[in-house]
Amino acid sequence: MLTGANANLAQHLASRPATAFRVPCSIQLQQKPARASFYGTKRSQRPRLAHNDDVQKQSFARAVGKGLSCRTTDVALPIRTRPARRQCIVRAASSAASPGTSPAQAAPESAKPPYYLHSWRWRGHKINYAVAGCGPPVVLVHGFGASVGHWRKNIPELAKSHQVLAIDLLGQGASDKPLLEDGYSMELWGELLSDFLAEFTSGSKPVLVGNSVGSLACLLANSKLPEGGLAGTILINCAGGLNNKAVVDDWRLKLAAPLFWLIDFLLNQPPVARYLFDRFRTRENLRQVLLNVYTDPAAVDDALVELLYGPSCSEGALETFVSIITGPPGPPPSSLMADVKGPLLVLWGDKDVFTPIDGPVGKMFAALPQTRPNTTFQSLPGENHCVHDDNPALVNGVIMKWLDQLR
């Protein structure tokens, strides 16, 4: 979702003095190895969330009850290490019953996400992903702080003619949030996405669709694939980097740079990091952050807030947040374009406050069709950063029309 998390944290500081999902597989999740220490301290000595394990389950349960995709996953959740690539998951928008249950035994219609959830092990870590539909593959990649559920309004439409796969990036959503020796980076997420494509779309030409930092991950994966490896790539309000340190030539970010560096310093102090994180991730603050990146206030409902709040209760959420905010921004989109292949559709809400259309990244993409073939830039008047969830009818229509042209 959010590339400007540190900007919103700065704004926040300035203003202050379920049911387990059944997966048809017999391979059980392996026990996680012990994590390395964080900030040079033992995990038992670190500041902990003031929430027990039930908080996340209750949070996800509330989201599921409102029709979202978030479901609690226990340690015993079976893992599909390599589902059949050609398997078609055909489900209506209201979704079929979970495997092993009859429609009469299934949850109420309002509680069913429009896809099946699975898990995949990547470099020893569990990666959550969703599958729906049948046809040419389309792979959806969310932004920072979001998850597969952020595509819940897009998957049913796309799944009418395509097989849709949506991934929770490592450290996000229901995927594992390990403490990584080298930290989180855009390059890491690009490698994850490349391996995900090789595992589940090998032999076909998928279309990549990303929002915010998910778009940048799509560009990184695209740049590493051979010519003809993708049918196309769709970027929705592409981020300039993993965090706000990426865009150094935007006057707005230059003015805020000292505050961003101060936040980096504070987040590297364990007690301060815990204090700031617990206040940043409150439901009330998350709602305000979402209202800044949505045009329609009605779209920022309790279910959407839970979609972001639930993962913040997970083990490792603080460490992941600190690593992303204080880490390197990664390569800017402009440095990748020479290696990006295939047709490209760029959608941009012209009211985006995180990656403004008149900022350096927006201007670069707006001018790209003049120098790059098979490139379309479409401004979306009155729309904001998360337009795919804010105005799904508009985005679904544009994407489906473009996908039809690829055939």
Side-chain angles (χ1 to χ4, degrees), residues 31 337 383:
Q31 185 176 1
M337 295 314 303
E383 302 300 336

Side-chain angles (χ1 to χ4, degrees), residues 68-284:
L68 286 187
S69 65
C70 294
R71 298 189 176 205
T72 56
T73 54
D74 299 325
V75 173
L77 178 69
I79 291 182
R80 288 182 67 89
T81 55
R82 191 180 181 89
R85 298 192 192 99
R86 299 294 179 265
Q87 181 184 8
C88 295
I89 310 297
V90 183
R91 305 183 78 181
S94 60
S95 140
S98 300
T101 65
S102 68
Q105 297 171 321
E109 292 295 316
S110 61
K112 300 173 187 173
Y115 43 75
Y116 286 109
L117 291 173
H118 302 286
S119 295
W120 168 59
R121 188 159 293 279
W122 182 72
R123 299 184 182 178
H125 308 300
K126 187 198 77 172
I127 301 298
N128 183 64
Y129 69 98
V131 185
C134 184
V138 173
V139 179
L140 309 178
V141 189
H142 63 81
F144 172 51
S147 63
V148 298
H150 210 203
W151 301 102
R152 66 200 183 282
K153 300 176 185 177
N154 314 105
I155 291 176
E157 184 66 23
L158 298 176
K160 291 178 181 179
S161 55
H162 292 75
Q163 183 180 48
V164 182
L165 300 98
I167 184 175
D168 278 351
L169 296 170
L170 185 68
Q172 306 287 287
S175 290
D176 281 349
K177 300 169 181 61
L179 176 61
L180 303 175
E181 182 177 355
D182 296 327
Y184 287 82
S185 66
M186 285 308 314
E187 291 84 353
L188 176 74
W189 283 345
E191 293 169 6
L192 166 61
L193 186 54
S194 295
D195 290 346
F196 185 80
L197 296 176
E199 182 75 10
F200 299 113
T201 69
S202 178
S204 60
K205 295 183 178 181
V207 172
L208 288 176
V209 184
N211 170 237
S212 192
V213 295
S215 291
L216 190 52
C218 289
L219 287 178
L220 279 161
N222 181 316
S223 68
K224 302 300 182 182
L225 290 172
E227 190 70 42
L230 292 172
T233 305
I234 301 175
L235 312 178
I236 304 174
N237 291 74
C238 183
L242 185 60
N243 48 52
N244 280 327
K245 293 191 288 290
V247 186
V248 296
D249 51 351
D250 190 324
W251 64 269
R252 288 159 289 209
L253 294 182
K254 285 182 178 179
L255 290 177
L259 187 54
F260 294 153
W261 289 113
L262 173 62
I263 292 173
D264 278 10
F265 171 77
L266 294 175
L267 288 177
N268 279 289
Q269 317 306 313
V272 179
R274 170 57 66 192
Y275 176 86
L276 295 178
F277 180 67
D278 282 346
R279 278 147 187 79
F280 176 77
R281 70 182 190 88
T282 64
R283 291 183 176 91
E284 294 75 14

